[in-house]
Amino acid sequence: MRECKTLEFKENIETNSFLKTISAFANYIDGKIIFGISDDGAVKGVSNPVESCLNLENKINDAIKPVPFYTLEINDDNTITLEVKKGSYTPYLYKGKAYKRNDTSTIEVDRLELNRLTLEGMNMTYEEQISFKQNLSFTQLQKELTDKIGTKKISVDILKTLGLMKDGKYNNAASLVADENQFLGIDIIRYGDTINELMDRYIGDNISIFQMYHDAIDFYQKYYTYEKIDGSQRTNQEIIPYKAFREALANALVHRLWDVNSRIRISMYKDKIEITSPGGLPSALNKNEYLNSQVSFLRNPIIGNIFFRLGYIEMFGSGIKRIKDSYNDYQVAPDFLIYENSITVILPAVNITVNITDDERMILEIISLEKLSRLQLEKRGNLSKSKTSRILNSLCEKGFIQKTGSGPNTKYSIRNKNY
């Protein structure tokens, strides 16, 4: 057992540094602190654990405001497990400051993150806050509503129904769909043969989120679609699946953090498109839930609902699955890079021929039915350690397999069976 984001060891209860970790767990994620274990995992135990539990209770109740939900349990080896649940009344403060976990350490949150915690504790989102810009026009929104659902004229009642007004004032969601606003939008760059060759560029700031969407679609169609003439027949061809790009773009607009002074970056290459959205996963969502569309979580529910009404997104939470499904008939597959402060979706071109060796094909056949570790593949393929590693790295780079877990728990599985 080792320390991680949700587990911390404390050798004794004399120091109060554990109170910062309680703040972090209560603010973001369920977690445990075990007292009587050193940082290297050695069990030391706690003298007089019953009295120690009382001391811990007093410290928590006096120092953390509001008091989070927690439990204390004395273990057979005289260690004490303190379990803290993520709370609903954020921020949970220690000495007037809020904390979060950064891998195995605990750090103070910045002012922007503190504001998010405050909104969460009020059961509000950033888009629900009153916009400082109230002189708004909605020509683009009117066009969207007319084209999609036949609404002839926007009224105050319609704006209220869409969730764009509160107490007679426009909120940040209204500002996002307005013709002009204060938000940085999208930065699209079309590269040549190298990243030093900028062939085309578009920056869309301070415009309606719908204008951002359509401008990005136009850029995609300019470079990744073409007509193929076969005799008297003309057919539209896609270098990168349109459905995948549309879903990835809509996801970026609906799920990004709009309080971050940063743009959605769309990098267009000859063999792929990368869409990077500001903001990592919401605290309520883990990586597996995100990648497997197991949980639907809208960071911007007002914007999400409007996109849903207009048909730009379909079922909530299905975007990632739809992106993956768009590549079912191709040799390559999309990839998803998840970081603490951003998410990147990589959409490879489908007209690129990817060659695989006989050894690579053998490895693909072996793991076609189950996830296996490198050691298991090494034995079943009768290959050396170094050769197995080279093959696995090559297949990962080509998009055929994916790697999950870390260290001795690392396993490999098929990403796409069309090989």
Side-chain angles (χ1 to χ4, degrees), residues 150-168:
T151 302
K152 295 182 179 180
K153 185 177 180 180
I154 291 180
S155 65
V156 171
D157 286 339
I158 288 176
L159 292 174
K160 288 180 179 179
T161 300
L162 294 176
L164 302 176
M165 298 190 74
K166 183 176 182 180
D167 300 327

Side-chain angles (χ1 to χ4, degrees), residues 54-65:
L54 291 174
N55 290 337
L56 288 170
E57 284 188 43
N58 290 332
K59 285 185 176 183
I60 296 169
N61 294 341
D62 290 342
I64 307 294
K65 302 299 178 187

Side-chain angles (χ1 to χ4, degrees), residues 181-198:
N181 55 49
Q182 70 273 24
F183 296 101
L184 297 183
I186 56 175
D187 183 5
I188 307 176
I189 301 177
R190 168 66 176 177
Y191 293 100
D193 292 330
T194 71
I195 59 173
N196 295 321
E197 297 181 17
L198 272 63

Side-chain angles (χ1 to χ4, degrees), residues 30-80:
D30 296 352
K32 294 180 180 180
I33 304 173
I34 303 179
F35 296 90
I37 298 182
S38 61
D39 291 341
D40 60 5
V43 177
K44 305 290 186 178
V46 174
S47 61
N48 201 340
V50 174
E51 182 178 339
S52 294
C53 282
L54 291 174
N55 290 337
L56 288 170
E57 284 188 43
N58 290 332
K59 285 185 176 183
I60 296 169
N61 294 341
D62 290 342
I64 307 294
K65 302 299 178 187
V67 178
F69 179 81
Y70 65 92
T71 58
L72 287 162
E73 181 179 354
I74 299 173
N75 305 311
D76 293 338
D77 55 5
N78 275 352
T79 59
I80 297 173

Side-chain angles (χ1 to χ4, degrees), residues 360-377:
E360 288 174 342
R361 186 176 297 277
M362 177 185 66
I363 291 295
L364 288 171
E365 293 291 349
I366 292 174
I367 61 174
S368 62
L369 298 177
E370 61 177 324
K371 291 182 179 181
L372 294 171
S373 67
R374 179 199 55 76
L375 182 59
Q376 290 171 315
L377 288 167

